[in-house]
């Protein structure tokens, strides 16, 4: 089972034999060239955005059409002959902080003498805007960022390569259909706006972040690179993956859809230089995807096609389910694996994702890879 | 003196008589249609981005060419016949916090028993990413946002219209020429990348912001709307406006260009319902535009054409030089003007900007207006 069977059919952008970029769908080890197969102009494009902007009815019809193309074998090229690109032109990139286990771990590591969760955390999905211009496709090498940081023992900051370079294993949600400025998108309208999901690694320089982030939040500690998978898995192929998330207490305010806390039963694997070092379970998240979207637009902020919002680091309750090196090494104090704390030059990280498919087996979402290059 | 003479010549996007959007230049009370005048395809565009991407040598040549068009009177239409639009397609929007007086005032208002400036503030220009999809053109009405907030006396948050809606009078910098991922843009390369400036009002819902912002920074308290002027004033027309900023102590790290702290002598006026309520002076800022750009890219983050970075609220040392209602009313405790604290429905705010021109007089930057609509 490849995980890329008829029940999956994710979308991406590819080029082949020196040609222009086009929209394609992956089926097993082939890519179906949707422009060659259909002649529709939205598929002769450098991103999925034109297609996504057409809305959920077109997404549904196209999925049916693609299933027919798979049967006919039309317009298919070997995956090995395709160069894969960033699938979307990212509008705004918002990152949430929706795992209770992650937020609690971070609180315990940085503020060991206080309550691990801050007062607002269980009332709203905390989030912030990231840099959309540095969202890159899986496989893009990540240059170790330099920046200003001050170690606890130092009186003055210094500038230099980050010594605490980290990953954040996340799931990303891709907005297809836009919304109007001033009009919140209600909780129940999630499926009318969100087209699908991507794997997402929110690379983080913990030393830069720690020095800069009070009071306006993470900035250069995150903005050097965020990697997403080549393939966008449509929500339609995740129908069998929906599951209840943990009960929320206190019950959130009405606009956050109390009593409908549904998430996705997606398993994640964090692979460091070929070894699985963690298995974060998305089903343990506190805030749901629909709650994040409702919150994001509750002030009337509009959505654009290509907007991307991340779940925040996915961490489960067990030590081997943590989605960041910060947590796996407990702030660098407890080396894990072969004595690791943070990322070293040359390290390769792969995030793998799988979920129940509608056909009874499992589908494999696009993975997210990146190798660390030395600081320039 | 209109402030829009031959020494200014700002760029914008307009449409007239039901036609397509085009790039134009304002001269006195006319708009020069650059596509009609030159036939260059980058001017038959819905934003300045295609033109800006061509880089500083083309910007310089075009400014000379436009000066010639002014003399000939070619391709000019009355300003009153032009509909003005958002001038740029915004890439990433970053907002800084570069006024010492503003940051100190905010510190005193929110943390009266502590040092007003946080430990990092004089070492780096603190900044964060805002929402680029809700950057709107001057004149766009601003719907009062609703959101979650918790008053100090309350144990639980509630959801409803913001009761502390505010402005932030800022200057915005527009990036023209992009940079490569992984390569910092040095302090001295500012003029190779930044095309010009806009007026900017970073509307803020203080009650939403206060409840949400720890630990990841402002989010929904800011993301509902950011207004910018229709006209982008090229850096070339601000040659006479450069001035020394206050001395920085401690001396910043090398990448922040120690000893070259040059800013712009731009006067700002905050006008509420026709009355000037404040006159923030940009020359009193602590962090310079070139320092903000160097910091923003110091981790290797790339620039895209259309990236926008704001100065943060401009506040001078005197009480009538404060750039936000939060400061003018000292957290709502000291009503100003006719008994005002925060914005009421129907209020109109205009931000006006002027600077020394190269011709010996003053130029008038594009103003930024917005009227508050009731919450939906």
């Amino acid at each position: 089972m490849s995980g890329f069977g008829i029940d999956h059919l994710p979308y991406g952008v590819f080029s082949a034999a020196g040609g222009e970029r086009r929209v394609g769908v992956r089926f097993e080890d082939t890519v179906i060239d949707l422009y060659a197969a259909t002649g529709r102009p939205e598929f002769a494009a450098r991103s999925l955005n034109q297609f996504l902007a057409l809305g959920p009815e077109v997404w549904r019809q196209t999925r049916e059409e693609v299933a027919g193309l798979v049967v006919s074998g039309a317009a298919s090229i070997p995956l090995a002959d395709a160069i894969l690109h960033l699938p979307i032109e990212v509008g705004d990139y918002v990152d949430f902080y929706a795992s209770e286990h992650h937020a609690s771990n971070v609180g315990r590591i940085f503020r060991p003498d206080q309550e691990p969760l801050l007062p607002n955390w269980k009332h709203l999905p905390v989030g912030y805007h990231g840099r959309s211009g540095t969202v890159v496709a899986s496989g893009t090498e990540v240059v170790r960022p330099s920046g200003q940081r001050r170690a606890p023992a130092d009186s003055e900051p210094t500038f230099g390569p980050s010594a605490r370079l980290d990953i954040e294993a996340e799931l990303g949600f891709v907005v297809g259909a836009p919304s109007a400025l001033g009009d919140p998108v209600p909780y129940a309208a999630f499926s009318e706006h969100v087209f699908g999901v991507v794997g997402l690694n929110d690379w983080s320089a913990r030393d830069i972040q720690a020095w800069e982030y009070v009071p306006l939040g993470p900035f250069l500690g995150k903005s050097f690179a965020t990697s997403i998978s080549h393939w966008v898995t449509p929500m339609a192929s995740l129908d069998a993956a929906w599951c209840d998330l943990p009960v929320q207490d206190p019950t959130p305010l009405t606009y956050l859809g109390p009593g409908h806390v549904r998430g996705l039963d997606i398993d994640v694997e964090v692979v460091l230089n070929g070894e699985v070092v963690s298995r974060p379970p998305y089903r343990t998240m506190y805030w749901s995807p629909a709650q994040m979207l409702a919150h994001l637009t509750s002030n009337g902020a509009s959505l654009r096609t290509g907007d991307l919002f991340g779940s925040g680091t996915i961490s489960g309750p067990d030590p081997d389910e943590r989605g960041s090196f910060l947590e796996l090494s407990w702030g660098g104090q407890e080396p894990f694996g072969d004595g690791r704390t943070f990322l070293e030059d040359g390290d390769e990280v792969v995030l793998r994702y799988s979920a129940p498919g509608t056909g009874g087996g499992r589908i494999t979402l696009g993975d997210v890879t990146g190798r660390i290059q030395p600081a320039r």
Side-chain angles (χ1 to χ4, degrees), chain A:
Chain A
M1 292 298 289
S2 70
F4 289 95
I6 189 76
D7 57 347
H8 188 184
L9 303 177
Y11 291 78
V13 172
F14 76 101
S15 54
E20 295 289 316
R21 296 189 192 189
R22 288 182 174 180
V23 173
V25 163
R26 180 164 171 187
F27 173 66
E28 301 296 357
D29 287 333
T30 67
V31 179
I32 301 168
D33 180 335
L34 288 191
Y35 182 63
T38 70
R40 282 160 53 179
E42 65 267 26
F43 296 136
R46 294 175 61 85
S47 77
L48 296 178
N49 290 43
Q50 288 180 48
F51 167 57
L52 300 191
L54 298 175
E57 182 54 26
V58 173
W59 308 340
R60 191 191 62 72
Q61 291 169 358
T62 304
R63 188 167 166 82
E64 283 183 10
E65 193 175 352
V66 170
L69 293 171
V70 166
V71 173
S72 74
S76 164
I77 69 165
L79 179 64
D81 293 346
I83 299 169
L84 301 174
H85 305 282
L86 188 68
I88 53 172
E89 183 183 346
V90 182
D92 274 294
Y93 165 45
V94 166
D95 203 20
F96 284 94
Y97 192 49
S99 161
E100 179 174 1
H101 305 292
H102 171 66
S104 298
N105 287 337
V106 170
R108 289 190 188 98
I109 291 167
F110 287 126
R111 301 177 300 269
D113 52 345
Q114 296 174 36
E115 279 293 311
L117 292 180
L118 291 162
N120 58 11
W121 200 90
K122 288 208 165 181
H123 292 283
L124 53 80
V126 170
Y128 69 103
H129 285 91
R131 190 166 185 82
S132 60
T134 52
V135 175
V136 298
S138 175
T140 304
E141 295 186 331
V142 174
V143 178
R144 180 180 297 274
S146 290
Q148 200 179 125
R149 59 276 196 280
R150 193 185 75 174
D154 294 343
S155 62
E156 298 295 316
T158 56
F159 186 89
S162 172
R164 291 164 69 94
L165 186 55
D166 199 357
I167 65 159
E168 295 197 332
E170 305 194 14
L171 197 65
F173 295 85
V174 176
V175 171
S179 69
L181 185 62
D183 291 337
V185 173
Y187 179 90
F190 177 82
S191 64
E192 295 169 33
H193 292 276
V194 174
F195 172 76
V197 303
V198 290
L200 190 152
N201 187 346
D202 189 41
W203 305 94
S204 299
R206 301 296 180 192
D207 40 3
I208 297 172
Q209 182 183 348
W211 173 232
E212 75 179 355
Y213 89 106
V214 178
L216 301 186
F219 182 38
L220 300 181
K222 303 276 197 172
S223 65
F224 57 95
T226 305
S227 301
I228 64 171
S229 58
H230 292 123
W231 299 110
V232 182
T233 293
M235 295 312 304
S237 62
L238 290 167
D239 281 349
W242 288 100
C243 64
D244 286 334
L245 295 183
V247 172
Q248 295 180 333
D249 181 20
T251 301
L253 290 166
T254 307
Y255 78 100
L256 291 170
H260 299 85
V261 192
R262 296 279 288 173
L264 294 162
D265 183 15
I266 294 178
D267 289 339
V268 188
E269 287 183 334
V270 179
V271 186
L272 172 64
N273 299 325
E275 300 288 329
V276 176
V277 295
S278 178
R279 299 180 193 275
Y282 190 73
R283 65 184 163 276
T284 64
M285 300 298 275
Y286 191 84
W287 293 104
S288 77
Q291 289 178 318
M292 295 190 288
L293 185 70
H295 187 62
L296 165 57
T297 62
S298 61
N299 66 347
S302 46
L303 299 175
R304 285 182 295 176
T305 298
D307 280 353
L308 173 68
F309 61 98
S311 59
T313 307
I314 306 165
S315 290
D318 294 333
D320 62 353
E321 294 177 335
R322 295 168 179 165
S324 69
F325 285 23
L326 176 72
E327 295 163 87
L328 288 165
S329 72
W330 208 251
Q333 301 303 305
E334 302 175 8
F336 66 98
D338 60 353
R340 175 64 53 131
T341 52
F342 292 97
L343 287 164
E344 297 174 6
D345 291 346
D347 277 350
E348 185 185 62
V349 175
V350 182
L351 305 182
R352 296 184 192 137
Y353 301 79
S354 70
T358 54
R362 292 187 76 77
I363 64 173
T364 304
L365 283 62
D367 58 18
V368 185
T369 75
R371 187 181 292 276
I372 305 302
Q373 299 299 307
R376 288 189 184 158

mmCIF file of all heavy atoms in Angstrom, chain A residues 44-57:
data_model
loop_
_atom_site.group_PDB
_atom_site.id
_atom_site.type_symbol
_atom_site.label_atom_id
_atom_site.label_comp_id
_atom_site.label_asym_id
_atom_site.label_seq_id
_atom_site.Cartn_x
_atom_site.Cartn_y
_atom_site.Cartn_z
ATOM 1 N N ALA A 44 -3.255 25.161 -15.783
ATOM 2 C CA ALA A 44 -2.000 25.630 -16.398
ATOM 3 C C ALA A 44 -1.490 26.786 -15.560
ATOM 4 O O ALA A 44 -1.460 27.937 -15.995
ATOM 5 C CB ALA A 44 -2.251 26.062 -17.839
ATOM 6 N N ALA A 45 -1.098 26.481 -14.332
ATOM 7 C CA ALA A 45 -0.818 27.540 -13.362
ATOM 8 C C ALA A 45 0.350 27.140 -12.486
ATOM 9 O O ALA A 45 0.644 25.957 -12.314
ATOM 10 C CB ALA A 45 -2.050 27.805 -12.502
ATOM 11 N N ARG A 46 0.995 28.136 -11.918
ATOM 12 C CA ARG A 46 2.151 27.905 -11.059
ATOM 13 C C ARG A 46 1.760 27.587 -9.614
ATOM 14 O O ARG A 46 2.623 27.375 -8.768
ATOM 15 C CB ARG A 46 3.054 29.144 -11.066
ATOM 16 C CG ARG A 46 3.691 29.405 -12.412
ATOM 17 C CD ARG A 46 4.479 30.706 -12.391
ATOM 18 N NE ARG A 46 5.558 30.670 -11.424
ATOM 19 C CZ ARG A 46 6.765 30.165 -11.665
ATOM 20 N NH1 ARG A 46 7.045 29.628 -12.835
ATOM 21 N NH2 ARG A 46 7.689 30.196 -10.729
ATOM 22 N N SER A 47 0.476 27.612 -9.334
ATOM 23 C CA SER A 47 0.023 27.253 -7.984
ATOM 24 C C SER A 47 -1.389 26.704 -8.103
ATOM 25 O O SER A 47 -2.051 26.829 -9.143
ATOM 26 C CB SER A 47 0.040 28.468 -7.055
ATOM 27 O OG SER A 47 -1.068 29.303 -7.315
ATOM 28 N N LEU A 48 -1.871 26.146 -6.989
ATOM 29 C CA LEU A 48 -3.244 25.644 -6.953
ATOM 30 C C LEU A 48 -4.268 26.760 -6.772
ATOM 31 O O LEU A 48 -5.474 26.503 -6.826
ATOM 32 C CB LEU A 48 -3.407 24.662 -5.784
ATOM 33 C CG LEU A 48 -2.588 23.371 -5.822
ATOM 34 C CD1 LEU A 48 -2.853 22.550 -4.558
ATOM 35 C CD2 LEU A 48 -2.962 22.561 -7.051
ATOM 36 N N ASN A 49 -3.819 27.984 -6.558
ATOM 37 C CA ASN A 49 -4.734 29.032 -6.103
ATOM 38 C C ASN A 49 -5.924 29.258 -7.022
ATOM 39 O O ASN A 49 -7.048 29.427 -6.550
ATOM 40 C CB ASN A 49 -3.976 30.342 -5.879
ATOM 41 C CG ASN A 49 -3.058 30.273 -4.672
ATOM 42 O OD1 ASN A 49 -2.377 29.273 -4.466
ATOM 43 N ND2 ASN A 49 -3.034 31.313 -3.858
ATOM 44 N N GLN A 50 -5.683 29.289 -8.346
ATOM 45 C CA GLN A 50 -6.810 29.548 -9.249
ATOM 46 C C GLN A 50 -7.879 28.478 -9.106
ATOM 47 O O GLN A 50 -9.081 28.766 -9.105
ATOM 48 C CB GLN A 50 -6.332 29.584 -10.704
ATOM 49 C CG GLN A 50 -5.531 30.817 -11.058
ATOM 50 C CD GLN A 50 -5.100 30.779 -12.531
ATOM 51 O OE1 GLN A 50 -5.899 30.505 -13.417
ATOM 52 N NE2 GLN A 50 -3.836 31.022 -12.779
ATOM 53 N N PHE A 51 -7.429 27.241 -8.993
ATOM 54 C CA PHE A 51 -8.375 26.137 -8.808
ATOM 55 C C PHE A 51 -9.084 26.253 -7.459
ATOM 56 O O PHE A 51 -10.317 26.141 -7.365
ATOM 57 C CB PHE A 51 -7.627 24.805 -8.933
ATOM 58 C CG PHE A 51 -8.397 23.605 -8.472
ATOM 59 C CD1 PHE A 51 -9.634 23.283 -9.016
ATOM 60 C CD2 PHE A 51 -7.876 22.769 -7.488
ATOM 61 C CE1 PHE A 51 -10.339 22.167 -8.576
ATOM 62 C CE2 PHE A 51 -8.566 21.655 -7.052
ATOM 63 C CZ PHE A 51 -9.810 21.358 -7.591
ATOM 64 N N LEU A 52 -8.327 26.518 -6.415
ATOM 65 C CA LEU A 52 -8.914 26.573 -5.075
ATOM 66 C C LEU A 52 -9.962 27.673 -4.959
ATOM 67 O O LEU A 52 -10.967 27.532 -4.257
ATOM 68 C CB LEU A 52 -7.831 26.792 -4.013
ATOM 69 C CG LEU A 52 -6.735 25.742 -3.892
ATOM 70 C CD1 LEU A 52 -5.918 25.971 -2.630
ATOM 71 C CD2 LEU A 52 -7.301 24.332 -3.898
ATOM 72 N N ALA A 53 -9.730 28.778 -5.681
ATOM 73 C CA ALA A 53 -10.650 29.918 -5.600
ATOM 74 C C ALA A 53 -12.027 29.589 -6.170
ATOM 75 O O ALA A 53 -12.997 30.308 -5.907
ATOM 76 C CB ALA A 53 -10.061 31.122 -6.327
ATOM 77 N N LEU A 54 -12.127 28.503 -6.932
ATOM 78 C CA LEU A 54 -13.408 28.174 -7.567
ATOM 79 C C LEU A 54 -14.423 27.604 -6.584
ATOM 80 O O LEU A 54 -15.616 27.536 -6.885
ATOM 81 C CB LEU A 54 -13.178 27.206 -8.733
ATOM 82 C CG LEU A 54 -12.296 27.787 -9.853
ATOM 83 C CD1 LEU A 54 -12.000 26.730 -10.912
ATOM 84 C CD2 LEU A 54 -12.946 29.008 -10.476
ATOM 85 N N GLY A 55 -13.964 27.164 -5.423
ATOM 86 C CA GLY A 55 -14.911 26.812 -4.367
ATOM 87 C C GLY A 55 -15.288 25.352 -4.295
ATOM 88 O O GLY A 55 -14.963 24.535 -5.169
ATOM 89 N N PRO A 56 -16.028 24.995 -3.236
ATOM 90 C CA PRO A 56 -16.218 23.583 -2.872
ATOM 91 C C PRO A 56 -16.989 22.764 -3.900
ATOM 92 O O PRO A 56 -16.742 21.559 -4.025
ATOM 93 C CB PRO A 56 -16.957 23.651 -1.528
ATOM 94 C CG PRO A 56 -17.387 25.056 -1.339
ATOM 95 C CD PRO A 56 -16.511 25.910 -2.197
ATOM 96 N N GLU A 57 -17.908 23.369 -4.630
ATOM 97 C CA GLU A 57 -18.647 22.559 -5.601
ATOM 98 C C GLU A 57 -17.714 22.123 -6.742
ATOM 99 O O GLU A 57 -17.762 20.975 -7.201
ATOM 100 C CB GLU A 57 -19.856 23.333 -6.129
ATOM 101 C CG GLU A 57 -20.721 22.571 -7.106
ATOM 102 C CD GLU A 57 -21.211 21.218 -6.584
ATOM 103 O OE1 GLU A 57 -21.323 21.047 -5.343
ATOM 104 O OE2 GLU A 57 -21.441 20.320 -7.410
#
